[in-house]
Amino acid sequence: MDTFNDFMKKTFENLECDSYLEDLFSNIELFTNDYIEKKSPRLIVNMPPRSLKSESISIRLPAFLHSKNPKLNIGVFVANQDLANHFACKNSCIYNKPNNIKYIGISNESIDVLKFDIIIIDDTIRSSKESESLKFKFKTHTFIKKLLEKHLNPYGGFINVQSRWSNDDTTGFLIDVCNNHDWKVLKYPALNSNDKPLTNRFKYKEIKKNINYKYFQALYQQDPIL
């Protein structure tokens, strides 16, 4: 049976599979196996912008999981409904079969009766304004806590994928507050300790020179300082 790595290469034309993607795909395969074995896997993936996190986890992973088990109920929660509709359209181009994959904006309150086997949260904070708003973060985190407590089936799997913004962003909230499960955290900085880039597709050293240090450390290095 195809692995997630195989599935990505089949469905993503001319994919340049850098070593970090190989590692990510391998860990997603482990997550899938842990779900099958009813281990209630919890996974956090922190990656720089445009590093294929949404293409891999929010768009192709639901299709991959559903191809293995068409009975799965999968919920993908993103920043707003417009983006949710866009992701749903991209998913249907890859996996155009009747399915139980739902793409929902994080602020959507009409999910009271929905239950999921797998929940994916993708970049719920998308701007510095949102990252600095205590009101916005409280509302978002309350919604996410509700998803974990009331909308995830027993033995269900949960993934949060994002570029970091601050210590109290969604990743920080899940680790500090929703800590009744062990969270496996995958951290992929744009530049490693030897200044080697994560991928050659982007000029991270140039980006570092041209944006605020605080935002580079958070968004690109996955190491927020505040």
Side-chain angles (χ1 to χ4, degrees):
M1 187 176 290
D2 284 352
T3 65
F4 184 65
N5 194 326
D6 297 330
F7 188 84
M8 282 295 302
K9 290 173 180 177
K10 283 182 180 179
T11 60
F12 197 111
E13 188 176 359
N14 299 321
L15 175 66
E16 294 180 20
C17 212
D18 296 293
S19 59
Y20 83 94
L21 288 176
E22 297 278 0
D23 184 75
L24 174 64
F25 300 162
S26 175
N27 275 284
I28 289 175
E29 189 73 23
L30 290 174
F31 173 91
T32 302
N33 292 336
D34 283 348
Y35 170 75
I36 293 170
E37 295 173 11
K38 297 185 176 182
K39 293 182 178 179
S40 303
R42 301 289 185 268
L43 179 63
I44 291 173
V45 182
N46 297 147
M47 305 170 73
R50 297 181 295 166
S51 53
L52 300 183
K53 59 184 182 295
S54 295
E55 288 285 350
S56 302
I57 297 174
S58 296
I59 295 169
R60 284 169 174 78
L61 178 57
F64 172 72
L65 292 169
H66 209 272
S67 69
K68 285 177 170 285
N69 182 356
K71 294 182 180 180
L72 282 180
N73 289 305
I74 302 172
V76 182
F77 293 83
V78 298
N80 55 66
Q81 195 57 46
D82 286 343
L83 186 59
N85 294 341
H86 175 64
F87 280 10
C89 182
K90 296 192 78 168
N91 174 274
S92 67
C93 291
I94 296 165
Y95 189 70
N96 189 19
K97 297 180 181 179
N99 59 67
N100 303 317
I101 303 170
K102 291 182 169 39
Y103 286 86
I104 303 171
I106 199 73
S107 59
N108 193 321
E109 299 296 334
S110 61
I111 64 164
D112 284 344
V113 299
L114 298 178
K115 300 282 281 188
F116 301 100
D117 301 302
I118 304 285
I119 290 177
I120 298 169
I121 305 289
D122 186 343
D123 263 342
T124 53
I125 298 173
R126 296 182 65 83
S127 70
S128 58
K129 181 179 179 180
E130 291 176 352
S131 75
E132 293 165 6
S133 169
L134 294 178
K135 181 179 179 180
F136 177 86
K137 285 186 287 190
F138 177 79
K139 182 179 179 182
T140 300
H141 294 162
T142 299
F143 184 88
I144 291 171
K145 191 169 187 285
K146 180 181 175 183
L147 287 177
L148 270 167
E149 293 177 348
K150 296 185 177 181
H151 297 278
L152 187 64
N153 286 329
Y155 308 112
F158 193 100
I159 301 178
N160 174 63
V161 54
Q162 72 167 119
S163 300
R164 297 297 307 267
W165 280 96
S166 62
N167 285 318
D168 63 348
D169 58 15
T170 305
T171 289
F173 172 76
L174 290 172
I175 293 172
D176 293 340
V177 178
C178 303
N179 53 9
N180 56 328
H181 282 273
D182 290 330
W183 292 91
K184 182 175 184 178
V185 181
L186 304 179
K187 177 179 172 182
Y188 299 101
L191 298 171
N192 69 14
S193 57
N194 296 317
D195 246 14
K196 182 179 178 180
L198 186 68
T199 174
N200 291 320
R201 290 185 293 117
F202 303 108
K203 297 180 179 180
Y204 291 126
K205 292 180 182 179
E206 291 299 315
I207 294 172
K208 184 177 180 180
K209 291 177 184 177
N210 290 303
I211 70 169
N212 184 292
Y213 175 76
K214 177 181 78 171
Y215 292 133
F216 186 82
Q217 285 301 111
L219 283 167
Y220 288 88
Q221 293 299 90
Q222 314 313 311
D223 189 22
I225 58 177
L226 294 174

